[in-house]
Amino acid sequence: QQQVKQSPQSLIVQKGGISIINCAYENTAFDYFPWYQQFPGKGPALLIAIRPDVSEKKEGRFTISFNKSAKQFSLHIMDSQPGDSATYFCAATFSGTYKYIFGTGTRLKVLA
Amino acid sequence: GAGVSQSPSNKVTEKGKDVELRCDPISGHTALYWYRQSLGQGLEFLIYFQGNSAPDKSGLPSDRFSAERTGGSVSTLTIQRTQQEDSAVYLCASSRDRGRRDIQYFGAGTRLSVL
């Protein structure tokens, strides 16, 4: 029940295309969902985050869509660029804890 | 620099040896976290510090793993009698406080290889 399931494991997208990464959870107590971006040789860095009281959050080309009833959330990268090539992790946490539960990551490659 | 600093960046050791991994958090951050990232796996929580105290050690995989934090700043993760399954990237993160929505800032990690 503490798991966050992430898919796909890897993704190849043409430049200018839309990249979509999906995550699902079981624990309805989760109330904060950050996405982290990790470039090779670097630590993960916060990309964007959402609370379950909103269905969508957009920051530039990055959008989180949240479906509370389905217990799913996804990251959309519009107009994907080669510089977006990285590993993306979704995560979840809930009130009363500091612990993030991370998905297994998606390795994105954007072809030039 | 202003980020989380980890050293060494790479460590190769022989099975059975002890290793120490160091983390320098962002100045003023009271919360510090250690994670392990194995190939094809997500980030696995190991331990959390609030100041010098570790209220949650639940993620440490065995009693060969220990960690301490001194002066509310630098933290050391020690792995005794290393095993090949300990090979992974060990990541440290810090946050301003322990609030779940406080951004966790990660270091670049220490890649540990146990031969």
Side-chain angles (χ1 to χ4, degrees):
Chain A
Q1 201 177 26
Q2 289 287 340
Q3 287 184 324
V4 176
K5 296 181 179 179
Q6 184 172 348
S7 63
Q9 187 174 8
S10 62
L11 182 61
I12 299 176
V13 175
Q14 294 287 338
K15 179 182 176 181
I18 302 174
S19 303
I20 302 175
I21 303 170
N22 300 299
C23 287
Y25 63 97
E26 289 295 325
N27 190 342
T28 55
F30 286 146
D31 66 353
Y32 183 66
F33 303 87
W35 283 87
Y36 276 77
Q37 179 188 54
Q38 184 179 30
F39 292 105
K42 304 291 186 182
L46 180 66
L47 184 63
I48 187 172
I50 197 168
R51 298 190 317 268
D53 54 349
V54 297
S55 60
E56 185 176 281
K57 182 173 182 180
K58 184 175 181 179
E59 290 186 3
R61 295 183 294 108
F62 300 90
T63 299
I64 300 177
S65 297
F66 191 86
N67 186 330
K68 189 173 181 179
S69 60
K71 292 183 284 187
Q72 295 175 346
F73 58 109
S74 59
L75 176 70
H76 292 65
I77 306 174
M78 312 301 287
D79 187 27
S80 299
Q81 299 297 311
D84 297 330
S85 297
T87 299
Y88 293 81
F89 293 95
C90 61
T93 187
F94 54 91
S95 177
T97 186
Y98 40 76
K99 193 181 302 184
Y100 284 6
I101 308 300
F102 283 89
T104 51
T106 296
R107 181 172 293 184
L108 171 66
K109 185 176 178 66
V110 181
L111 302 177
Chain B
V4 177
S5 178
Q6 291 188 246
S7 61
S9 56
N10 284 283
K11 176 71 176 178
V12 180
T13 190
E14 294 180 351
K15 178 181 174 181
K17 300 284 190 181
D18 297 351
V19 295
E20 285 189 352
L21 312 180
R22 177 187 169 104
C23 173
D24 278 280
I26 293 172
S27 178
H29 280 193
T30 61
L32 186 146
Y33 315 78
W34 282 98
Y35 292 88
R36 180 167 69 176
Q37 184 176 19
S38 303
L39 189 65
Q41 302 295 315
L43 281 70
E44 175 189 8
F45 170 82
L46 296 179
I47 187 170
Y48 156 71
F49 285 93
Q50 180 62 28
N52 291 335
S53 299
D56 188 350
K57 306 178 183 179
S58 63
L60 295 178
S62 75
D63 58 9
R64 296 186 295 105
F65 288 72
S66 63
E68 65 175 11
R69 188 180 185 193
T70 56
S73 181
V74 172
S75 176
T76 302
L77 178 68
T78 301
I79 308 174
Q80 296 179 310
R81 306 181 301 282
T82 52
Q83 304 295 313
Q84 289 184 331
E85 61 262 30
D86 299 334
S87 296
V89 176
Y90 289 83
L91 291 162
C92 174
S94 69
S95 66
R96 185 181 57 193
D97 201 345
R98 63 177 182 175
R100 69 196 185 283
R101 296 177 187 176
D102 278 346
I103 297 172
Q104 294 188 22
Y105 296 87
F106 283 82
T110 294
R111 182 175 297 276
L112 175 65
S113 299
V114 182
L115 304 179

